[in-house]
Amino acid sequence: MSAPARPFSMRSVALAAFLPTLLFSIGEGAIIPLIPLVAHDLGASLAVAGLLGGLVMVGTVVGDIPSGVIVSHIGERTAMIWAALLAVIAVLICLAAPNVLVLGIGVFIVGLATAVFGLARHAFLTTYVPLQYRARALSTLGGVFRAGYFVGPFLSAAVIHFSGGTQAVFWVFIVCCLAATAVLILLPDPASTFGPAQRRADGPAGDGLFRTIWQNRAVLLRLGTAVGLIGAMRATRLVILPLWAVSIGIGQTDTALIIGIAGAVDFALFYVSGHIMDRYGRLWSALPSMLGLGSGFLVLAFTHDLPAAVQWFIVVAMFLSVANGIGSGIMMTLGADLAPRGNPAPFLGAWRFAGDFGSAAAPLAVAGITAIASLALASGVAGVAGLLGAGMLLRYIPRYLPRAATHPASK
């Protein structure tokens, strides 16, 4: 007779999902800022180097939907292990790259591995975490990911300082991926720790990718579009703030300090977001976040030529960080709420594609509007899009998650 399952605890989840995620994201965060520099060292122009820097996100978007099939067939834990090993192979390709083309292939594969790893950890928490803890677990997962991206660049700076070369940073990612793999292999299988996964009869495990997408086409089109706008707002914030600082004459050191403090504010609120969602409902996190992001961008659009433009920039940057932090984990939590319990991975792959597509498209839209008109107009358009997204969330979250919208514990 098998041993009885132990009660759920956040500490067990921290070891099984958060620690591997932290290691993987630290390694990825270390290499992403250096990819354009390595490309430039291989002879790429500035434009091509910038393009290569964005290939990780392109690979992630391309890999989102297929990753749902992979995870549903081999399981969450196994998928995370193989994704980490695939990332190691991709980084070795980057290290050995004799030209920009080979480097681009390696970077693109890193994006594919990121898609599988991200989907696997999302599906893992969706499957094993009880509903009353779900939002806190997923918002913490989002916070861990942001922490890795925050620590990674500092680690890469230290490695470059002591090694004298940018390519040495790739070894940081390799070590982090191998460490994440070791953690996943050495820890017990979640099924033996918590017992059978939380499943319902409404999601048979035999559902395939295209069948799942077709059956959920309405929610993916409507609420998925809103999630894409959330991803777009977050990516726009990361693009517009540095550009705005340059355009109003703030120095590089001051810009880094302001954005760094804003990032710390954002990170500090991840657990607050999860608590709000678990205690009061998903809408109480999603709606204030999108209203804050949209209104923040609209205000910023009218401050560029004001005498106190620098002060307005600091205030808006902090306001946007609070708004973004309050919504930490909302995309993953909504996806987990909506996913079929029997086999969540195919749905989550399509769901993550919607959010990642918005994240990938937003910087291109900002660049295009800025080139044609102005950065202020780009900020204004982003603000309108954020308010539109807030309206869609207000309409469709209660429609598709009527109980989880305000009282998730009663679902």
Side-chain angles (χ1 to χ4, degrees), residues 311-337:
Q311 289 84 349
W312 274 106
F313 171 76
I314 295 173
V315 171
V316 172
M318 300 306 160
F319 180 78
L320 289 173
S321 295
V322 171
N324 195 52
I326 289 297
S328 178
I330 185 61
M331 291 194 293
M332 290 189 291
T333 302
L334 289 175
D337 290 338

Side-chain angles (χ1 to χ4, degrees), residues 75-130:
E76 297 92 348
R77 178 168 171 263
T78 303
M80 282 191 277
I81 292 172
W82 283 109
L85 295 177
L86 177 62
V88 170
I89 295 173
V91 174
L92 290 175
I93 292 174
C94 294
L95 275 169
N99 53 52
V100 173
L101 177 60
V102 177
L103 177 66
I105 293 173
V107 173
F108 180 78
I109 297 175
V110 169
L112 295 177
T114 300
V116 177
F117 195 95
L119 187 280
R121 66 191 176 185
H122 191 180
F124 166 77
L125 293 179
T126 299
T127 302
Y128 288 98
V129 176

Side-chain angles (χ1 to χ4, degrees), residues 23 77 81 84 176-187:
L23 292 168
R77 178 168 171 263
I81 292 172
C176 287
C177 286
L178 293 177
T181 302
V183 169
L184 289 164
I185 291 174
L186 294 175
L187 288 177

Side-chain angles (χ1 to χ4, degrees), residues 244-251 254-255 258 300 303-318:
W244 199 275
V246 171
S247 68
I248 62 176
I250 300 178
D254 291 337
T255 298
I258 294 168
L300 188 66
T303 65
H304 190 277
D305 298 322
L306 295 180
V310 174
Q311 289 84 349
W312 274 106
F313 171 76
I314 295 173
V315 171
V316 172
M318 300 306 160

